Structure formats: structure tokens, C-alpha cells
Amino acid sequence: MNMRHTRRWPASLAVVAVLVLQLLIPTQISTFPRWVMPALGALLLLPLVWMNPFHLRRDEPWLRWVELALLALLVLANAIYLAELIFYLNSGAANNGLVLVKSAALIWATNVVAFGVWYWEVDRGGPFARAPEHGRTEERADLLFPQMTVDLPGWNKWIPGFTDYLFVAFTAATAFSPTDTMPLTARVKVLMAIQSAIALLTVAVVAARAVNVL
């Protein structure tokens, strides 16, 4: 049986990566100390790692609320940085193309990783609900993966892992729309719409202007 879904550490590592990326945001577009958001994120991540450092073994309802609060904070911080970057872009002081390119790249990468964790957390009630060994009632699917629509040998018991959700986030940020995996529920459609909007603004508006400045 595929047990990838029971691992906690890939999602934790992804969150740490997001916090590090936010520390690298150029000071030109940050109106508050860069350590504030990563510090808040680290405080929320700490109990999650403490309770389930490597695998999802202890299932407590409050842990999921902490996880959702952490993910909301990451997306909010990224949206704030994007808004500040757009403001900086229109302020007339944006004469450093490298700063704009670096900022856009960091915001785009953060967008991918943060929403990858979001999809991992919400699909079918979360990783605990998807794990058959926990005996929880699995909710309806939020995402329709290609492996769920075909009858191929060796794939009948397939369960998506974190890498699969990260790939969904990557393709959504690249194509600005769903690709091979379709959103089924309203909550995931909203998440994907927000992610695509952030990616579109970052790539099509900010990065395009940055190239002209170079």
C-alpha cells in the first residue's frame, strides 16, 4: 500500500522553505521587518512538528486548525508582499530590475509551495482522513487526479502524496488554470483561483515590467 500520505515531514519542509523565501524578500518592497511573518509562521509550525515530527500519528482536531491558520498566514504574507511590490513598481522608484526580478521569483515560488501544502491539507478532509490506517471517514474528493479516472494495473489503491499536490500547485501557477488534475469542490476552486491570480499578477505584470527595466 502507498503510505506516502502519512508522512508529515515533506509538508513541514515545504513550510520551512516558504519561511526562508520570505526572509529573502528585498527590503525595498517590505514595509515591515522581514522576520515578522517567518517568526509567526515558525511559532505556528512548532506544535505541528512537535506532535508529528515525521509521520502523522497523533490526530488532534486543534492541530488542523493550527495548520490552516499557518497556511492562511503564509498566503496572506505573500499577497502583502505582492501588493507592496506592485506599489513599489508604480511609485517611480523601481529602477532596479534585479530587485524586481528577485522579488517576483520569490513571490512566485512561495505561491507554489504554500498552495501545494494547502491542497495537501484540504483534499478529502486532510491527510489523516485520506490515510486508511486511521479509520476516519474520508470526505469526497476535492481534486480529481488522472490516476483516479483510469483502471491501470498497480494504480487501483493509489493515494496522492505531497509531491502530487505540489505538482498541482506548480502547474496551476504556470498555466494560471487547472491542467491534468481538476478541482471539484468550491473550496479548492477558490484556492486555485487565488493562486492563479497571484501567479498571473506576479509573472504577467511585475516580471514583465522588471524585464523592461533591465
Side-chain angles (χ1 to χ4, degrees):
M1 180 180 294
N2 188 340
M3 300 298 290
R4 292 181 302 161
H5 60 288
T6 62
R7 295 175 182 173
R8 167 74 218 182
W9 67 265
S12 299
L13 186 62
V15 171
V16 171
V18 169
L19 299 179
V20 172
L21 289 174
Q22 291 180 344
L23 282 174
L24 299 177
I25 289 290
T27 56
Q28 290 90 333
I29 70 163
S30 181
T31 57
F32 53 87
R34 291 180 296 179
W35 58 266
V36 173
M37 289 298 186
L40 293 175
L43 288 176
L44 291 172
L45 179 62
L46 184 61
L48 299 174
V49 175
W50 177 264
M51 294 293 289
N52 295 294
F54 298 105
H55 295 83
L56 295 171
R57 302 184 186 278
R58 286 181 280 188
D59 183 11
E60 299 290 342
W62 64 270
L63 286 175
R64 190 156 194 255
W65 287 107
V66 173
E67 178 89 42
L68 294 176
L70 171 60
L71 296 176
L73 175 67
L74 297 181
V75 174
L76 176 63
N78 206 40
I80 291 174
Y81 284 132
L82 176 59
E84 290 179 339
L85 181 55
I86 294 175
F87 178 79
Y88 173 72
L89 193 66
N90 295 323
S91 66
N95 54 7
N96 190 331
L98 292 178
V99 170
L100 296 178
V101 170
K102 178 182 178 181
S103 302
L106 290 173
I107 291 172
W108 188 88
T110 299
N111 188 41
V112 170
V113 179
F115 276 94
V117 184
W118 259 113
Y119 300 141
W120 175 80
E121 181 60 41
V122 302
D123 185 32
R124 285 183 280 176
F128 273 108
R130 294 192 300 271
E133 67 270 20
H134 291 289
R136 286 180 50 177
T137 301
E138 183 178 317
E139 299 180 10
R140 62 179 181 174
D142 293 89
L143 291 163
L144 182 64
F145 289 88
Q147 294 90 333
M148 299 163 60
T149 63
V150 295
D151 185 15
L152 294 175
W155 292 93
N156 56 325
K157 294 183 179 180
W158 181 83
I159 299 175
F162 178 75
T163 305
D164 300 295
Y165 294 104
L166 187 62
F167 182 75
V168 171
F170 176 81
T171 55
T174 304
F176 312 126
S177 65
T179 53
D180 64 335
T181 301
M182 300 303 297
L184 300 178
T185 59
R187 60 185 178 184
V188 169
K189 289 178 181 178
V190 170
L191 286 175
M192 195 166 289
I194 295 173
Q195 185 198 2
S196 298
I198 293 175
L200 180 62
L201 284 173
T202 304
V203 175
V205 179
V206 179
R209 173 66 183 277
V211 171
N212 291 332
V213 174
L214 286 175

